[in-house]
């Protein structure tokens, strides 16, 4: 660190909120680790988040992404870093804007507060994974064979995971006030963090209060994006969204139907299936994915429909149409999950195929050469207890 950097760091340190300053000075950072080794460098990065130079701030945010939460992985330094970030959310420098630091982050300038809230949301998502298997299976990237290794962690990984779960109440305390921010971009980032935070065991008691704030926003906000985000949050928290299932906007109706549970299950499923009949329009609702939702929006809609259906027959016509028209690049996110749901909890050779199962397998055979429908999905066929090649599937028909 140069003399100039030391002066800036000391100036920032003196202006920190007490909780942030105490955390920075009392934590044994050298005993912690991040993606690239010991975490002695992290205090300087955390201080740099509040630097007056926008390029320095952007680089500090980049360090959070690349080292402290590398590709969603948790490290022993992640929890204390998250507490520091939470402690500076209301710092005046939070209003300052900067450009993206990472090469692929070429979007418009945004405030530090937005970036920090988004980062806390990503941390909370990572901490929540594996906590609720039912919820995890509606995630568009969930794959059944990963559950077999989900508990295989070394001691540092387990310690990091538990530490991140333990700090969620303090993180939620800092995030919740921004759900009512006058800045819609801040509200969106805060909601993206609050959804996984308040889904945690022990924090559900806070949901009614947060839901009331969001319901107030539904009446005051006219943007489709925010209303859809609120609908999704309410349903993920298990709130009754039956009234939103008849909203004039189809995107809001679909977000209100995403699950995991509904008072009006048949209507929710009908809303999801209708969206899947016109996937191009459904994908076009949110050119920029909603917080917590990557990938094409139809992937999330499909997973939710499959989870909500009480039998495969309820979704078979739409699901088979997806397999028939699907492309080779979508096998893991569409065709595979459909196959797994059709044969859940696994193919039983002692029982005859249902008409819906037979029609589905025939669709895979008919489109195999053009879409790699079987070859591209062999792991899903294995997970469903089925033959993993075209010849084997044809023999069942």
């Amino acid at each position: 660190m140069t003399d100039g950097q030391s002066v800036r760091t000391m100036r920032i340190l003196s202006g920190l909120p007490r909780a942030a300053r105490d955390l920075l000075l009392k934590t044994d950072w050298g005993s912690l680790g991040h993606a690239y080794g010991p975490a002695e460098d992290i205090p300087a990065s955390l201080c740099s988040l509040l630097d007056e130079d926008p390029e320095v701030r952007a680089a500090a945010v980049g360090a959070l992404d690349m080292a402290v939460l590398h590709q969603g992985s948790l490290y022993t330094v992640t929890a204390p870093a998250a507490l520091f970030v939470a402690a500076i959310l209301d710092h005046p420098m939070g209003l300052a804007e900067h450009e993206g630091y990472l090469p692929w982050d070429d979007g418009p300038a945004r405030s530090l507060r937005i970036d920090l809230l988004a980062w806390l949301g990503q941390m909370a998502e990572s901490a929540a994974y594996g906590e609720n298997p039912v919820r995890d299976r509606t995630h568009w990237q969930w794959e059944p064979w990963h559950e077999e290794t989900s508990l295989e962690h070394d001691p540092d990984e387990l310690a990091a995971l538990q530490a991140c779960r333990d700090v969620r109440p303090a993180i939620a305390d800092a995030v919740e006030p921004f759900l009512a921010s006058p800045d819609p971009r801040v509200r969106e980032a805060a909601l993206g963090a609050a959804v996984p935070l308040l889904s945690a065991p022990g924090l559900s008691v806070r949901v009614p209060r947060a839901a009331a704030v969001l319901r107030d926003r539904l009446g005051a906000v006219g943007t489709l994006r925010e209303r859809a985000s609120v609908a999704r949050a309410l349903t993920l928290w298990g709130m009754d969204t039956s009234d939103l299932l008849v909203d004039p906007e189809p995107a809001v109706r679909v977000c209100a139907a995403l699950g995991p549970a509904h008072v009006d299950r048949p209507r929710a499923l009908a809303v999801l299936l209708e969206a899947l009949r016109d996937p191009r329009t459904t994908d076009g609702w949110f050119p920029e994915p909603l917080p917590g939702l990557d990938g094409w929006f139809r992937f999330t809609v499909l997973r939710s429909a499959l989870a909500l259906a009480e039998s495969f027959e309820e979704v078979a016509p739409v699901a088979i149409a997806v397999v028939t028209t699907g492309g080779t690049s979508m096998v893991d996110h569409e065709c595979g999950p459909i196959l797994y749901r059709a044969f859940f909890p696994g193919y039983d050779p002692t029982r005859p195929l249902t008409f819906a199962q037979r029609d589905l397998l025939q669709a895979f055979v008919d489109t195999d050469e053009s879409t790699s429908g079987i070859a591209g999905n062999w792991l899903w066929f294995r997970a469903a207890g089925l033959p993993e090649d075209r010849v084997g599937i044809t023999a069942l028909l």
Side-chain angles (χ1 to χ4, degrees):
M1 183 180 295
T2 66
D3 291 342
Q5 290 171 325
S6 297
V7 170
R8 288 205 306 270
T9 299
M10 291 305 298
R11 185 173 66 251
I12 292 169
L13 188 62
S14 65
L16 286 176
R18 181 173 179 177
R21 185 169 62 251
D22 287 349
L23 183 74
L24 205 65
L25 296 177
K26 296 179 181 180
T27 300
D28 183 7
W29 299 97
S31 67
L32 306 175
H34 54 57
Y36 304 106
E40 294 103 330
D41 56 333
I42 293 303
S45 292
L46 294 177
C47 281
S48 295
L49 290 169
L50 299 175
D51 199 284
E52 295 178 355
D53 186 334
E55 292 186 2
V56 174
R57 289 197 306 275
V61 172
L64 286 179
D65 284 334
M66 292 187 296
V68 181
L69 194 65
H70 181 68
Q71 296 182 350
S73 296
L74 303 175
Y75 304 91
T76 52
V77 77
T78 308
L83 287 173
F84 180 91
V85 168
I88 64 170
L89 278 179
D90 60 354
H91 192 282
M93 190 60 73
L95 298 175
E97 293 192 340
H98 58 266
E99 304 286 343
Y101 175 75
L102 301 173
W104 53 86
D105 185 7
D106 57 355
R110 67 273 185 176
S111 71
L112 175 67
R113 183 168 294 147
I114 290 172
D115 262 353
L116 297 184
L117 284 165
W119 185 84
L120 289 172
Q122 293 163 9
M123 186 280 294
E125 290 276 3
S126 294
Y129 188 77
E131 207 165 35
N132 185 335
V134 174
R135 182 184 62 211
D136 291 344
R137 289 173 189 177
T138 63
H139 191 280
W140 68 277
Q141 289 182 307
W142 178 83
E143 295 169 331
W145 50 90
H146 286 165
E147 284 199 342
E148 299 174 2
T149 59
S150 62
L151 298 179
E152 297 178 6
H153 297 288
D154 66 28
D156 282 348
E157 290 175 336
L158 289 172
L161 175 62
Q162 190 58 52
C164 288
R165 289 177 174 176
D166 289 344
V167 301
R168 288 181 295 192
I171 305 298
D173 286 341
V175 167
E176 286 183 66
F178 294 100
L179 292 174
S181 169
D183 185 336
R185 297 181 302 166
V186 172
R187 290 198 303 270
E188 177 173 310
L191 184 56
V195 166
L197 285 168
L198 300 191
S199 298
L203 293 184
S204 59
V205 295
R206 304 187 186 204
V207 166
R209 181 178 63 198
V213 172
L214 299 185
R215 283 284 189 178
D216 286 344
R217 298 304 309 174
L218 276 178
V221 177
T223 65
L224 171 64
R225 181 178 179 87
E226 184 161 8
R227 295 182 68 247
S229 296
V230 168
R232 174 179 176 263
L234 293 173
T235 190
L236 285 174
W237 288 336
M239 305 297 288
D240 183 5
T241 55
S242 298
D243 61 316
L244 298 177
L245 294 174
V246 294
D247 191 271
E249 290 287 352
V252 175
R253 295 198 299 270
V254 168
C255 285
L258 290 179
H262 295 278
V263 174
D264 192 347
R265 190 196 69 85
R267 185 186 292 274
L269 182 59
V271 166
L272 296 175
L273 293 179
E274 184 63 28
L276 291 171
R277 291 187 179 96
D278 187 8
R280 189 180 299 275
T281 297
T282 299
D283 282 337
W285 287 334
F286 309 114
E288 177 71 20
L290 297 179
L293 291 179
D294 298 318
W296 292 110
F297 186 54
R298 71 178 186 273
F299 296 162
T300 294
V301 176
L302 174 63
R303 294 292 182 112
S304 296
L306 296 175
L308 197 57
E310 292 182 346
S311 69
F312 179 65
E313 281 68 20
E314 284 191 300
V315 297
V318 171
I320 292 170
V322 170
V323 172
T324 301
T325 60
T328 57
S329 63
M330 306 305 174
V331 292
D332 276 340
H333 306 314
E334 293 183 305
C335 298
I338 288 170
L339 180 78
Y340 188 75
R341 177 63 184 87
F343 288 91
F344 186 82
Y347 168 62
D348 183 354
T350 66
R351 302 178 65 179
L353 297 176
T354 66
F355 289 116
Q357 288 172 333
R358 189 177 298 276
D359 288 346
L360 176 64
L361 292 182
Q362 188 65 58
F364 272 99
V365 170
D366 291 345
T367 61
D368 187 36
E369 292 184 359
S370 61
T371 67
S372 299
I374 295 175
N377 282 278
W378 68 272
L379 282 171
W380 288 99
F381 276 88
R382 174 183 292 180
L386 289 160
E388 301 167 24
D389 56 70
R390 195 169 189 269
V391 173
I393 295 300
T394 302
L396 296 180
L397 301 173

